[in-house]
Amino acid sequence: MTATLDFAGVRLPAIGQGTWHMGEGLYTPEEEAEALRRGLDLGLKLIDTAEMYADGHAEEIVGRALAGRRDEAYLVSKALPSHAGRDAVVRACERSLARLGTDRLDLYLLHWRGGTRLEETLEGFERLVEEGKILRYGVSNFDVDDIDELAALPGGERCATNQVLYHLGSRGIEYALLPRMRELRMPTMAYCPVAQGGVSSRALREHPEVKAIAEARGISPTQLLLAWTIRPRDGLRDILAIPKAVQPSHLAENAQSLEIELSEAELARLDRAFTPPQRKEPLDIV
Ligand code: NDP
């Protein structure tokens, strides 16, 4: 059964698509736009981007991908902390909308916390909601104390999500942040779910336990990592992972991961190999 979750009032597949490093010349813009369209065809409905990525070029690629298909996607972008002021965040959003070629974002996030007072950013977000330019807002890279501060502010209770780093090799948020977000009924967006595809990703994929479980299930180690990230915890699925992928084989694997449910025994083996946090750890970021 395809893994879905209730994400801020919308039922979404639990795997979406990231766009960091798109627009930087690793692939052509058309290859990247085609990858996003392919991902949509495969059911990876949420597309995550940011004004920061390639100085706006990633948003342009998303716009190119969504031409004529905007309604099929759940579109997320992010404002830089330097644009988090009451008026600045409105202007930043308008620039993002222009690059994306759309009149609205489904979700707009503060990329990370900077020097601007959260009250101000929330006022800007609320104005964007009133003007129909964004449907919901949220944050990214917020640890427990930031989330608590936010939740206590006017409009803070309407924060739809917190986008944070999470994968099998980085489980620190399980100790305090995930429980707190669950108390607030706030779903999590997991970034770098395959540990960015580089050296640390390879170390995870080549871990003997990961390899053994994946082989026994007939899935790839990356699929195991994704299925693990979005696994239901205590019967509730509230994590949505946003792997970035351009290669068609990667997209196909990632979409197939929506169908993989790990057993209690498999999860227990992974807990023994990758111990859950025993105390509060600093929030992992990239
Ligand atoms: P990911 O963990 O998504 O790794 C992306 C890399 O993994 C790419 O090189 C990709 O290759 C490769 N990959 C994807 N699928 C597979 C697969 N099935 N098998 C093997 N390799 C695969 O890292 P990201 O840093 O991109 O994080 C995901 C997204 O999260 C970002 O793109 C961005 O949207 C968001 N993000 C948010 C941050 C924040 O501060 N809020 C910080 C970092 C990320 P290829 O592209 O060649 O197919």
Side-chain angles (χ1 to χ4, degrees):
M1 204 171 59
T2 305
T4 61
L5 78 166
D6 176 3
F7 191 86
V10 182
R11 183 129 299 262
L12 289 178
I15 298 178
Q17 307 188 65
T19 63
W20 193 21
H21 299 310
M22 287 191 180
E24 294 180 5
L26 288 173
Y27 297 92
T28 66
E30 187 44 34
E31 282 170 328
E32 291 171 339
E34 175 56 25
L36 292 168
R37 288 191 290 263
R38 188 186 294 266
L40 274 183
D41 291 340
L42 291 167
L44 306 177
K45 191 172 158 68
L46 184 147
I47 297 181
D48 175 76
T49 190
E51 61 167 333
M52 186 189 93
Y53 299 160
D55 280 335
H57 291 312
E59 288 183 326
E60 287 167 3
I61 287 164
V62 175
R64 184 169 172 159
L66 292 184
R69 329 181 41 169
R70 168 67 186 89
D71 291 347
E72 292 174 50
Y74 185 95
L75 183 55
V76 186
S77 193
K78 312 185 203 76
L80 283 165
S82 53
H83 297 155
R86 191 184 295 106
D87 299 322
V89 78
V90 173
R91 289 194 297 272
C93 181
E94 287 166 351
R95 288 193 297 272
S96 287
L97 291 173
R99 285 188 292 263
L100 289 159
T102 183
D103 59 353
R104 72 196 185 284
L105 293 172
D106 293 285
L107 180 62
Y108 195 38
L109 308 179
L110 174 60
H111 207 147
W112 66 92
R113 202 171 167 182
T116 308
R117 288 183 323 120
L118 282 177
E119 289 92 322
E120 264 208 51
T121 310
L122 287 172
E123 280 176 37
F125 280 164
E126 288 283 349
R127 195 167 116 203
L128 286 165
V129 171
E130 277 163 29
E131 292 175 357
K133 290 173 180 156
I134 65 174
L135 301 185
R136 297 292 305 262
Y137 54 79
V139 294
S140 176
N141 296 303
F142 270 40
D143 206 345
V144 183
D145 48 353
D146 299 312
I147 284 290
D148 282 341
E149 194 180 324
L150 176 76
L153 293 172
E157 72 285 359
R158 284 190 287 283
C159 176
T161 191
N162 182 20
Q163 185 183 104
V164 285
L165 188 152
Y166 187 51
H167 56 69
L168 184 61
S170 179
R171 303 184 60 170
I173 60 172
E174 287 174 36
Y175 189 78
L177 185 59
L178 289 185
R180 181 69 184 121
M181 287 175 60
R182 187 166 278 190
E183 272 171 18
L184 294 167
R185 298 175 196 278
M186 199 189 284
T188 304
M189 273 175 87
Y191 74 68
C192 301
V194 299
Q196 296 198 279
V199 182
S200 52
S201 177
R202 203 167 316 123
L204 282 182
R205 283 180 281 154
E206 290 176 2
H207 189 285
E209 202 66 347
V210 170
K211 274 173 75 173
I213 297 173
E215 260 172 45
R217 287 288 295 256
I219 60 177
S220 75
T222 308
Q223 289 180 315
L224 178 67
L225 295 180
L226 286 173
W228 179 87
T229 302
I230 62 167
R231 73 203 180 285
R233 294 168 303 118
D234 300 321
L236 177 66
R237 195 189 303 277
D238 60 1
I239 299 181
L240 188 152
I242 45 167
K244 174 262 183 186
V246 175
Q247 296 179 46
S249 61
H250 290 169
L251 284 159
E253 272 194 17
N254 299 354
Q256 285 156 12
S257 308
L258 286 166
E259 312 300 328
I260 301 166
E261 187 109 16
L262 299 174
S263 69
E264 289 302 320
E266 289 164 335
L267 291 171
R269 281 172 69 183
L270 291 170
D271 278 347
R272 282 192 292 277
F274 299 88
T275 318
Q278 303 302 307
R279 64 189 68 82
K280 171 82 180 74
E281 295 175 8
L283 185 66
D284 205 357
I285 54 170
V286 287

